[in-house]
Amino acid sequence: MHHMEGDPIIAVQHLTFRYPGAPRPVFEDFSFELLPGHHLGLVGPNGAGKTTLLHLLMGLLKPQAGRILIFGREVSTEKDFAWVRQRVGLLFQNPDDQLFCPTVLEDVAFGPLNQGKTKAEAVALARETMAKLGLEGFEERLTYKLSGGEKKLVALATVLAMQPQLLLLDEPTSGLDEATKLRLIHILQHLSIPYMIVSHEREFLNETVKKCCQVHAHCCQPE
Amino acid sequence: MSAIREPFSEGESLLHRLDPRGKVAAAAAFSVLVASSRTFATALTGLCLAVVAILCARLPWRKVAARLLVVNGFVLFLWLVLPFTYPGEVVWRWRWFAATREGLAAAGLITLKSNALLLGLIALVATVPLVDLGQALHRLRLPDKLCHLLLFTYRYLYVFEQEYQRLTQAMKIRGFRPRTDLHTYRSYAYLAAMLLVRSHDRAERVYQAMLCRGFQGRFYSLKEFSWQPRDRLFLATAGLSLLVLAGLEWLLPWTLGRTGGG
């Protein structure tokens, strides 16, 4: 199946997911679509399943029923999701989960190296991405000694260095100060790929996405 | 906030600028030789070599002394026990305590060896930043899993320390004060359990984040080490010193035995 211009880049059909031991499913017969070129905000109360949805799309959680299509291709096995992860970037809520290499440059180059790039290519890509995010001079900094805002931006760099075709962001503003938030808004506004943001911050979403959806157990309702 | 401090890795001495691979290899050979030595000659020479290395590294001597104090605290216990329990020729007696010559010799040898090892490792290994050490071990063909275990431990020790601080602060602000009662023990048990659970959760999230970036079980290292003439000089010197040590250990008793026997 070939992905056609105008086809949804994400299509979730009749998905059911329940955490083991949970009294009721997070999603039941849930359907959802993301069209190309769209910047979408996902909102909803705590526990509505926003993060769960992102993790299902990346194959970190497995649904009990339903289909997930990414770029028109149905994905269900670990191999399918390995393919997805080469093309879709996920920014985790907590950058400490994402940064694990000792130095910033190594961490940003980790993804490109996994994609099969040579060392020189990976380093070049890493430097280029860091320059775009205003992180020049951070190469040899130790990841655990960065401030919260710096960690977030470096985590974003680690994802963008893989040149994803779609970006998923999970609460990107949590714990950021105003200046870093503004930087993030500026970066997202100049990003050429579609993205989806989970956030509770209306002001931030107003600046970064055109449309917001409320996440429910059965569907995402546009607001 | 307290990061993991590596006070010895910061420095500008010649020893600091050497390639970590050479230093690690030399330290490993030195440790094996000194640890397995059975003669005073070898142990004493080892200690002298270690002292020379420490002097070359120009480390803050107060901090070195502090480390030595810790190890020699343990050694002190050996001196209290070993001479009186080792069977052999009694050289000193007080009431029912009898110290033997062999026991004193063993305690002395252990003292020399442990100080030589500690100083040698401080001079050669502690002068390498931990990050470089991981990469150097990787280059020395140590199994990937061990290298990554070292680097991950280093990376997340700090996070866990912060987690621990957060939890203890949360306990403190609610008026917790450690006493010797069941409530205190239970609270500490909760703290330990919570730290364990959180560590497990974090390990899972880190792994997930790595999967999301295309991790397939292989790590790549960006670090490039380069051999300099000074590294060759160091390896030659270290090799020669180690040969002397090995010679003292095996050849000396042999020649002594020959002359003694003949």
Side-chain angles (χ1 to χ4, degrees):
Chain A
M1 199 162 133
H2 246 302
H3 186 59
M4 306 287 277
E5 197 83 19
D7 281 352
I9 39 181
I10 299 176
V12 176
Q13 298 166 351
H14 311 294
L15 183 107
T16 297
F17 178 77
R18 180 204 294 265
Y19 280 104
R24 52 185 186 79
V26 186
F27 297 117
E28 199 164 19
D29 197 18
F30 174 89
S31 295
F32 165 78
E33 272 187 357
L34 179 73
L35 294 171
H38 275 223
H39 298 155
L40 189 71
L42 291 181
V43 294
N46 290 328
K50 304 179 299 293
T51 300
T52 307
L53 178 60
L54 298 189
H55 285 204
L56 281 164
L57 293 175
M58 296 301 281
L60 300 177
L61 295 170
K62 295 282 184 282
Q64 280 89 33
R67 305 203 314 155
I68 299 173
L69 290 93
I70 310 250
F71 299 118
R73 173 171 156 173
E74 181 166 358
V75 287
S76 58
T77 64
E78 191 55 31
K79 213 179 134 205
D80 296 333
F81 282 109
W83 177 86
V84 170
R85 292 166 196 151
Q86 303 279 346
R87 285 157 186 81
V88 181
L90 170 62
L91 183 71
F92 276 62
Q93 201 170 346
N94 184 349
D96 260 321
D97 297 340
Q98 206 143 13
L99 305 176
F100 70 94
C101 293
T103 66
V104 169
L105 184 69
E106 284 172 303
D107 222 313
V108 182
F110 175 75
L113 285 170
N114 285 332
Q115 288 177 316
K117 301 264 193 309
T118 67
K119 242 185 235 186
E121 286 169 345
V123 170
L125 256 174
R127 286 186 194 279
E128 195 184 306
T129 314
M130 288 169 64
K132 268 188 203 153
L133 301 191
L135 293 170
E136 295 105 331
F138 275 64
E139 287 84 350
E140 296 307 319
R141 294 275 297 273
L142 297 179
T143 49
Y144 73 88
K145 284 184 181 168
L146 301 173
S147 75
E150 291 167 342
K151 273 185 191 164
K152 199 72 175 194
L153 291 174
V154 171
L156 183 60
T158 68
V159 175
L160 289 180
M162 295 180 74
Q163 302 177 302
Q165 296 158 36
L166 167 66
L167 184 61
L168 310 174
L169 303 103
D170 193 355
E171 305 257 8
T173 54
S174 64
L176 295 190
D177 61 19
E178 284 308 314
T180 317
K181 251 181 239 177
L182 287 176
R183 256 175 100 176
L184 195 58
I185 289 171
H186 180 81
I187 290 165
L188 290 175
Q189 282 173 345
H190 289 79
L191 216 56
S192 55
I193 53 169
Y195 55 76
M196 211 155 73
I197 305 178
V198 165
S199 181
H200 290 290
E201 282 198 56
R202 286 292 170 174
E203 272 177 55
F204 178 75
L205 287 175
N206 288 341
E207 295 289 334
T208 48
V209 299
K210 289 187 209 79
K211 212 170 82 171
C212 282
C213 275
Q214 187 93 23
V215 178
H216 295 284
H218 304 288
C219 60
C220 277
Q221 232 161 42
E223 297 196 308
Chain B
M1 233 167 43
S2 66
I4 309 147
R5 274 176 286 265
E6 306 172 74
F8 298 136
S9 70
E10 295 146 14
E12 287 299 312
S13 78
L14 175 68
L15 216 64
H16 282 94
R17 280 178 282 137
L18 288 173
D19 190 303
R21 289 171 298 177
K23 285 199 285 185
V24 169
F30 176 77
S31 307
V32 170
L33 270 174
V34 171
S36 62
S37 76
R38 265 171 284 166
T39 62
F40 271 92
T42 322
L44 204 61
T45 316
L47 184 62
C48 292
L49 285 173
V51 167
V52 170
I54 280 281
L55 291 178
C56 287
R58 283 185 287 164
L59 294 168
W61 65 269
R62 271 171 190 281
K63 283 185 178 144
V64 176
R67 299 258 170 122
L68 282 179
L69 216 59
V70 174
V71 168
N72 285 297
F74 286 103
V75 168
L76 189 68
F77 279 102
L78 282 181
W79 277 98
L80 291 179
V81 174
L82 213 50
F84 305 102
T85 53
Y86 215 85
E89 180 197 338
V90 176
V91 289
W92 182 72
R93 190 186 292 276
W94 179 70
R95 306 257 171 113
W96 53 83
F97 294 107
T100 62
R101 179 185 299 281
E102 285 79 1
L104 287 170
L109 195 60
I110 291 174
T111 310
L112 284 180
K113 283 204 271 186
S114 46
N115 283 293
L117 283 175
L118 188 72
L119 287 174
L121 288 177
I122 287 178
L124 294 173
V125 180
T127 50
V128 183
L130 219 126
V131 175
D132 291 354
L133 185 63
Q135 308 286 19
L137 291 172
H138 180 74
R139 289 300 155 84
L140 288 171
R141 309 245 174 262
L142 201 76
D144 278 2
K145 281 195 177 127
L146 290 180
C147 301
H148 297 132
L149 202 61
L150 179 74
L151 290 177
F152 272 80
T153 308
Y154 176 69
R155 168 66 183 85
Y156 284 98
L157 212 56
Y158 182 62
V159 178
F160 293 142
E161 213 237 59
Q162 280 183 320
E163 199 99 48
Y164 170 78
Q165 298 289 358
R166 256 203 298 277
L167 287 171
T168 45
Q169 272 165 11
M171 288 165 83
K172 264 185 213 151
I173 56 167
R174 283 193 284 158
F176 174 77
R177 235 178 292 147
R179 281 187 298 262
T180 35
D181 57 7
L182 202 59
H183 170 69
T184 304
Y185 300 143
R186 190 184 294 122
S187 306
Y188 275 130
Y190 286 160
L191 173 69
M194 191 51 86
L195 208 57
L196 209 69
V197 171
R198 288 196 186 189
S199 313
H200 177 266
D201 282 357
R202 181 175 293 278
E204 194 138 308
R205 290 197 301 273
V206 170
Y207 181 64
Q208 288 183 336
M210 287 167 70
L211 280 183
C212 284
R213 285 201 278 153
F215 179 62
Q216 281 144 9
R218 255 206 78 184
F219 287 95
Y220 305 85
S221 167
L222 291 179
K223 194 97 188 176
E224 301 285 355
F225 295 116
S226 66
W227 281 111
Q228 305 285 331
R230 60 167 178 256
D231 291 309
R232 264 177 235 124
L233 190 69
F234 167 73
L235 267 197
T237 320
L240 209 65
S241 316
L242 292 171
L243 270 181
V244 170
L245 273 188
L248 281 173
E249 179 68 21
W250 286 297
L251 291 181
L252 199 63
W254 185 66
T255 40
L256 285 181
R258 289 246 311 211
T259 47

